[in-house]
Amino acid sequence: MNFAVLVSGRGTNLQAIIDAVKNRRIKAHLKLVVSDKKNAYALIRSRKAGIKNIFIDPACFKDREYFDRELVKNFKNEKIDFIVLAGFMRILSPYFIRTFKNKILNIHPALLPAFKGAHAIKDAYTYGAKITGVTVHFVDEKVDHGPIILQESLAINPKDSLSALEVKIHAVEHRLYAQAINLFARKQLKISGRKVKIL
Ligand code: GRF
């Protein structure tokens, strides 16, 4: 199967995915990386790995759906079977989500449905949660909401600073995402309502 990764930032998850494809922990073909930010370091990581990468400028499109139509056009050209969001900071339109229904994966640095949103690690830390973690889920039309594929918990050590917690969360993310992507690529995930069965 062919897949694309959507990014906006530094791309440490993208790097973990590139590495996992290379050493066959993910048995699928990473064909395209798309960024909505021109200076995303993730684009440099793709270039270094020899993966086709493009920047699509949201400012060139009159609304969200037109931007997403451009994404779909690129994905169809490259015969992309599924999409992986890795720190992609734009909300996708219902049009895009319907076009790739049950074929979009996202990673979130907390145990959903707790601590949704863009600052989940910090939110869990400042809330005083004793346990947080990482969630990989399918994307549906609500933010941080679709059926959960994998979750892993992590105890928050009271001695940890926020940045120490971030390092631990990212290490879990990098391992868990590769595992979930490979399960999808091997057609080992079956969705039924909110439940995802691992075959
Ligand atoms: C990760 O923490 C991911 O869970 C969240 O955005 C962050 C992206 O980090 N969705 P990176 O760009 O992969 O380093």
PDB file of all heavy atoms in Angstrom, residues 9-14 86-87 107-109 170 173, ligand 1:
ATOM      1  N   GLY A   9       5.358  20.708  11.054  1.00  0.00           N
ATOM      2  CA  GLY A   9       6.418  21.182  11.944  1.00  0.00           C
ATOM      3  C   GLY A   9       7.721  20.426  11.856  1.00  0.00           C
ATOM      4  O   GLY A   9       8.200  20.082  10.774  1.00  0.00           O
ATOM      5  N   ARG A  10       8.265  20.106  13.040  1.00  0.00           N
ATOM      6  CA  ARG A  10       9.635  19.579  13.058  1.00  0.00           C
ATOM      7  C   ARG A  10       9.715  18.134  12.573  1.00  0.00           C
ATOM      8  O   ARG A  10      10.763  17.668  12.144  1.00  0.00           O
ATOM      9  CB  ARG A  10      10.225  19.725  14.461  1.00  0.00           C
ATOM     10  CG  ARG A  10       9.421  18.987  15.479  1.00  0.00           C
ATOM     11  CD  ARG A  10       9.775  19.302  16.898  1.00  0.00           C
ATOM     12  NE  ARG A  10       8.961  18.389  17.688  1.00  0.00           N
ATOM     13  CZ  ARG A  10       9.387  17.722  18.728  1.00  0.00           C
ATOM     14  NH1 ARG A  10      10.615  17.871  19.155  1.00  0.00           N
ATOM     15  NH2 ARG A  10       8.580  16.894  19.359  1.00  0.00           N
ATOM     16  N   GLY A  11       8.627  17.372  12.693  1.00  0.00           N
ATOM     17  CA  GLY A  11       8.593  16.066  12.040  1.00  0.00           C
ATOM     18  C   GLY A  11       9.357  14.943  12.719  1.00  0.00           C
ATOM     19  O   GLY A  11       9.899  14.065  12.047  1.00  0.00           O
ATOM     20  N   THR A  12       9.363  14.918  14.055  1.00  0.00           N
ATOM     21  CA  THR A  12      10.030  13.765  14.689  1.00  0.00           C
ATOM     22  C   THR A  12       9.224  12.485  14.481  1.00  0.00           C
ATOM     23  O   THR A  12       9.794  11.404  14.340  1.00  0.00           O
ATOM     24  CB  THR A  12      10.288  13.975  16.201  1.00  0.00           C
ATOM     25  OG1 THR A  12       9.049  14.061  16.897  1.00  0.00           O
ATOM     26  CG2 THR A  12      11.132  15.206  16.452  1.00  0.00           C
ATOM     27  N   ASN A  13       7.893  12.615  14.449  1.00  0.00           N
ATOM     28  CA  ASN A  13       7.090  11.423  14.129  1.00  0.00           C
ATOM     29  C   ASN A  13       7.324  10.987  12.694  1.00  0.00           C
ATOM     30  O   ASN A  13       7.434   9.793  12.414  1.00  0.00           O
ATOM     31  CB  ASN A  13       5.602  11.689  14.395  1.00  0.00           C
ATOM     32  CG  ASN A  13       5.264  11.542  15.871  1.00  0.00           C
ATOM     33  OD1 ASN A  13       5.157  10.426  16.377  1.00  0.00           O
ATOM     34  ND2 ASN A  13       5.153  12.657  16.556  1.00  0.00           N
ATOM     35  N   LEU A  14       7.404  11.954  11.788  1.00  0.00           N
ATOM     36  CA  LEU A  14       7.714  11.614  10.396  1.00  0.00           C
ATOM     37  C   LEU A  14       9.038  10.849  10.329  1.00  0.00           C
ATOM     38  O   LEU A  14       9.147   9.831   9.643  1.00  0.00           O
ATOM     39  CB  LEU A  14       7.804  12.875   9.537  1.00  0.00           C
ATOM     40  CG  LEU A  14       8.335  12.625   8.129  1.00  0.00           C
ATOM     41  CD1 LEU A  14       7.346  11.809   7.297  1.00  0.00           C
ATOM     42  CD2 LEU A  14       8.675  13.929   7.427  1.00  0.00           C
ATOM     43  N   ALA A  86       0.912  13.702  10.962  1.00  0.00           N
ATOM     44  CA  ALA A  86       2.017  13.686  11.941  1.00  0.00           C
ATOM     45  C   ALA A  86       2.364  15.128  12.297  1.00  0.00           C
ATOM     46  O   ALA A  86       3.244  15.736  11.689  1.00  0.00           O
ATOM     47  CB  ALA A  86       3.214  12.937  11.376  1.00  0.00           C
ATOM     48  N   GLY A  87       1.596  15.667  13.246  1.00  0.00           N
ATOM     49  CA  GLY A  87       1.823  17.055  13.628  1.00  0.00           C
ATOM     50  C   GLY A  87       1.305  18.014  12.557  1.00  0.00           C
ATOM     51  O   GLY A  87       1.856  19.090  12.354  1.00  0.00           O
ATOM     52  N   ILE A 107      -2.129  10.897  15.417  1.00  0.00           N
ATOM     53  CA  ILE A 107      -1.567  10.595  16.735  1.00  0.00           C
ATOM     54  C   ILE A 107      -1.797  11.795  17.641  1.00  0.00           C
ATOM     55  O   ILE A 107      -1.675  12.949  17.209  1.00  0.00           O
ATOM     56  CB  ILE A 107      -0.076  10.218  16.643  1.00  0.00           C
ATOM     57  CG1 ILE A 107       0.409   9.662  17.979  1.00  0.00           C
ATOM     58  CG2 ILE A 107       0.795  11.377  16.172  1.00  0.00           C
ATOM     59  CD1 ILE A 107       1.627   8.772  17.872  1.00  0.00           C
ATOM     60  N   HIS A 108      -2.132  11.484  18.887  1.00  0.00           N
ATOM     61  CA  HIS A 108      -2.413  12.563  19.844  1.00  0.00           C
ATOM     62  C   HIS A 108      -1.636  12.278  21.133  1.00  0.00           C
ATOM     63  O   HIS A 108      -1.701  11.162  21.653  1.00  0.00           O
ATOM     64  CB  HIS A 108      -3.917  12.624  20.122  1.00  0.00           C
ATOM     65  CG  HIS A 108      -4.287  13.751  21.015  1.00  0.00           C
ATOM     66  ND1 HIS A 108      -4.299  15.063  20.578  1.00  0.00           N
ATOM     67  CD2 HIS A 108      -4.602  13.790  22.330  1.00  0.00           C
ATOM     68  CE1 HIS A 108      -4.630  15.843  21.588  1.00  0.00           C
ATOM     69  NE2 HIS A 108      -4.816  15.096  22.664  1.00  0.00           N
ATOM     70  N   PRO A 109      -0.944  13.293  21.670  1.00  0.00           N
ATOM     71  CA  PRO A 109      -0.069  13.031  22.819  1.00  0.00           C
ATOM     72  C   PRO A 109      -0.779  13.087  24.168  1.00  0.00           C
ATOM     73  O   PRO A 109      -0.321  13.744  25.096  1.00  0.00           O
ATOM     74  CB  PRO A 109       0.991  14.130  22.690  1.00  0.00           C
ATOM     75  CG  PRO A 109       0.262  15.259  22.068  1.00  0.00           C
ATOM     76  CD  PRO A 109      -0.783  14.665  21.159  1.00  0.00           C
ATOM     77  N   HIS A 170       7.066  11.688  23.518  1.00  0.00           N
ATOM     78  CA  HIS A 170       7.471  11.558  22.111  1.00  0.00           C
ATOM     79  C   HIS A 170       8.103  10.193  21.848  1.00  0.00           C
ATOM     80  O   HIS A 170       7.879   9.599  20.793  1.00  0.00           O
ATOM     81  CB  HIS A 170       8.408  12.693  21.695  1.00  0.00           C
ATOM     82  CG  HIS A 170       7.712  14.024  21.672  1.00  0.00           C
ATOM     83  ND1 HIS A 170       6.479  14.213  21.073  1.00  0.00           N
ATOM     84  CD2 HIS A 170       8.047  15.228  22.195  1.00  0.00           C
ATOM     85  CE1 HIS A 170       6.093  15.470  21.218  1.00  0.00           C
ATOM     86  NE2 HIS A 170       7.026  16.116  21.899  1.00  0.00           N
ATOM     87  N   GLU A 173       5.287   7.916  21.354  1.00  0.00           N
ATOM     88  CA  GLU A 173       4.651   8.198  20.051  1.00  0.00           C
ATOM     89  C   GLU A 173       5.390   7.518  18.909  1.00  0.00           C
ATOM     90  O   GLU A 173       4.787   6.887  18.043  1.00  0.00           O
ATOM     91  CB  GLU A 173       4.663   9.711  19.768  1.00  0.00           C
ATOM     92  CG  GLU A 173       3.708  10.522  20.584  1.00  0.00           C
ATOM     93  CD  GLU A 173       3.557  11.934  20.040  1.00  0.00           C
ATOM     94  OE1 GLU A 173       4.580  12.598  19.771  1.00  0.00           O
ATOM     95  OE2 GLU A 173       2.419  12.365  19.894  1.00  0.00           O
TER      96      GLU A 173
HETATM   97  C1  GRF B   1       3.198  15.258  18.260  1.00  0.00           C
HETATM   98  O1  GRF B   1       3.258  15.367  19.650  1.00  0.00           O
HETATM   99  C2  GRF B   1       1.865  14.720  17.826  1.00  0.00           C
HETATM  100  O2  GRF B   1       1.265  13.882  18.759  1.00  0.00           O
HETATM  101  C3  GRF B   1       1.032  15.957  17.688  1.00  0.00           C
HETATM  102  O3  GRF B   1       1.910  16.930  17.171  1.00  0.00           O
HETATM  103  C4  GRF B   1       3.249  16.611  17.574  1.00  0.00           C
HETATM  104  C5  GRF B   1       4.083  16.608  16.325  1.00  0.00           C
HETATM  105  O4  GRF B   1       5.459  16.503  16.610  1.00  0.00           O
HETATM  106  N1  GRF B   1      -0.131  15.710  16.872  1.00  0.00           N
HETATM  107  P1  GRF B   1       6.497  16.176  15.454  1.00  0.00           P
HETATM  108  O5  GRF B   1       6.339  17.268  14.387  1.00  0.00           O
HETATM  109  O6  GRF B   1       6.175  14.827  14.900  1.00  0.00           O
HETATM  110  O7  GRF B   1       7.827  16.230  16.104  1.00  0.00           O
END
